[in-house]
Amino acid sequence: MKRTLPLLIFVLLIAIAAKAQYRHQEVGLQTDNDSYLAQGSDRYYTNGIFIYYRRALPFDEDGKIANRVLGFEAGQKMFNPQSGSINVNGVADPGYIDRPFAGYLYLGANYNVLYKKQSNFKVGLQLGVVGPRAYGRQAQNLIHKVFGFYPPDGWQYQIKNALVINASGEYNKMLARGGNWVDVSFTSYANLGTGFIGGGLGPMLRLGRFNKLFNSVITQSTVIDRPGVKANDQEFFFYYKPLVNLQVKDITVEGKGAVYPESMQVAGKLNKVMISNQLGGAFNSGDRWTVDASVIFHTKDVKEMVRSHQWGSVTVMYHFD
């Protein structure tokens, strides 16, 4: 009995630990801001806040699918011209606007199907609004007040209210893998709707310890509905994702009521082709937590923009049963 009891306790602890590693739901928060780069800038895409909930769905383990994830999200984005204040010598000067003040507030849902041959296809739908009803002005005023920044000035020129209905698609495919510490994938996305039309493609490099694409931070698939099997192994890797982007429509630039200097012949003339570079690092505890932090460098969205722009992004997810 003396030997049996410790053995039973050991088996019980192993069973509890194994169960603790199986997670099929997660919630999390993402925050984007250009101030994370400590450059003192407050321009263009200046702030974003997003809340996520994802749930793994059952699948046929004998088929081609390795994982299925259903996600829901709510988010807000804020855009400034070259500064959050266009006050020049005590007077608001619309001539300082090289990109409109704009807010975008939305709710979204997505469905992510991931395959054993290390590819995935993700589709989504967003319903949102731009303009004063997106509360970009109020959100930026609050942030600046809380952190003691300058008072924003210029939101009176923001784009007018408009409804946004947008669909999106994303496709990733493993191309090559070198040992257990480096791989290269193809990544792409597309947007179509009343607010945003465009897409992008490029390679994605991972260096470090990572899972396959159907169970990784990089494809938002760290939950899985497979009873008796832990959700994933630990991950700690760095990644680099350069993209060539095509934009046909961006309502935060071309929205009705956008104010530009009178000298501009075309208000908010989009650059059709843009280049973006994202460098980041991701950590997956293999149980409860994932963290993804990155910096994004983006060429000019609008031809009239004085500079290109960049921002930092941090996402934290908590997994549970």
Side-chain angles (χ1 to χ4, degrees):
M1 181 65 182
K2 292 182 179 179
R3 294 182 179 180
T4 304
L5 184 59
L7 179 61
L8 290 175
I9 294 175
F10 175 77
V11 172
L12 179 61
L13 291 175
I14 292 296
I16 292 174
K19 183 177 180 181
Q21 291 175 320
Y22 167 56
R23 312 296 179 196
H24 66 277
Q25 297 182 80
E26 64 180 1
V27 294
L29 179 72
Q30 176 181 334
T31 172
D32 299 346
N33 201 289
D34 51 357
S35 67
Y36 294 159
L37 303 185
Q39 295 181 324
S41 64
D42 193 16
R43 55 177 175 263
Y44 310 136
Y45 177 44
T46 184
N47 188 76
I49 185 80
F50 312 90
I51 299 172
Y52 299 113
Y53 168 75
R54 301 185 187 119
R55 182 184 183 91
L57 302 176
F59 59 93
D60 181 6
E61 295 185 40
D62 296 326
K64 298 179 180 180
I65 295 176
N67 198 359
R68 297 195 306 153
V69 181
L70 179 65
F72 299 93
E73 62 187 272
Q76 183 194 52
K77 294 182 177 182
M78 290 185 294
F79 301 87
N80 288 343
Q82 55 191 289
S83 173
S85 175
I86 60 170
N87 193 303
V88 179
N89 297 323
V91 179
D93 182 6
Y96 201 63
I97 298 177
D98 57 341
R99 190 197 199 284
F101 285 90
Y104 175 48
L105 184 68
Y106 74 92
L107 295 173
N110 56 73
Y111 176 59
N112 194 2
V113 183
L114 305 106
Y115 298 92
K116 293 178 180 178
K117 292 187 176 181
Q118 294 205 67
S119 65
N120 80 297
F121 186 61
K122 182 178 179 180
V123 294
L125 183 66
Q126 291 184 358
L127 176 63
V129 63
V130 293
R133 290 179 183 172
Y135 299 103
R137 181 178 193 169
Q138 292 87 338
Q140 189 168 52
N141 283 337
L142 177 61
I143 293 172
H144 281 223
K145 183 177 181 179
V146 169
F147 290 97
F149 299 153
Y150 66 89
D153 183 19
W155 279 93
Q156 62 269 33
Y157 299 108
Q158 70 176 303
I159 62 176
K160 294 183 179 179
N161 289 319
L163 182 67
V164 173
I165 303 175
N166 242 80
S168 64
E170 178 183 323
Y171 176 72
N172 301 287
K173 171 66 178 177
M174 176 65 62
L175 297 178
R177 186 167 185 171
N180 295 319
W181 63 276
V182 58
D183 67 12
V184 179
S185 302
F186 168 79
T187 183
S188 61
Y189 74 93
N191 296 313
L192 179 64
T194 63
F196 310 95
I197 301 176
L201 55 83
M204 177 174 61
L205 173 69
R206 294 193 296 176
L207 296 170
R209 178 179 179 178
F210 44 76
N211 294 330
K212 293 182 178 180
L213 290 185
F214 55 76
N215 223 178
S216 177
V217 178
I218 206 70
T219 52
Q220 302 87 50
S221 57
T222 49
V223 291
I224 189 169
D225 192 343
R226 191 164 58 184
V229 179
K230 66 179 181 179
N232 45 63
D233 292 323
Q234 291 182 352
E235 295 181 284
F236 181 66
F237 62 88
F238 298 96
Y239 62 90
Y240 171 50
K241 185 165 68 172
L243 293 179
V244 177
N245 305 275
L246 172 68
Q247 65 172 2
V248 178
K249 180 178 182 178
D250 185 339
I251 197 170
T252 67
V253 173
E254 304 170 305
K256 186 177 181 181
V259 175
Y260 283 90
E262 294 181 0
S263 60
M264 293 184 185
Q265 296 180 358
V266 180
K269 189 174 182 181
L270 293 174
N271 278 322
K272 298 300 182 182
V273 179
M274 301 169 298
I275 305 297
S276 63
N277 289 277
Q278 182 175 9
L279 299 95
F283 169 74
N284 174 9
S285 71
D287 185 16
R288 291 288 188 182
W289 297 95
T290 58
V291 179
D292 184 354
S294 65
V295 293
I296 300 93
F297 301 91
H298 211 293
T299 58
K300 298 177 182 179
D301 299 339
V302 183
K303 293 184 177 182
E304 293 83 6
M305 285 168 55
V306 175
R307 303 178 181 179
S308 58
H309 57 131
Q310 52 276 321
W311 63 93
S313 179
V314 179
T315 304
V316 178
M317 304 295 297
Y318 176 74
H319 314 144
F320 61 98
D321 294 333

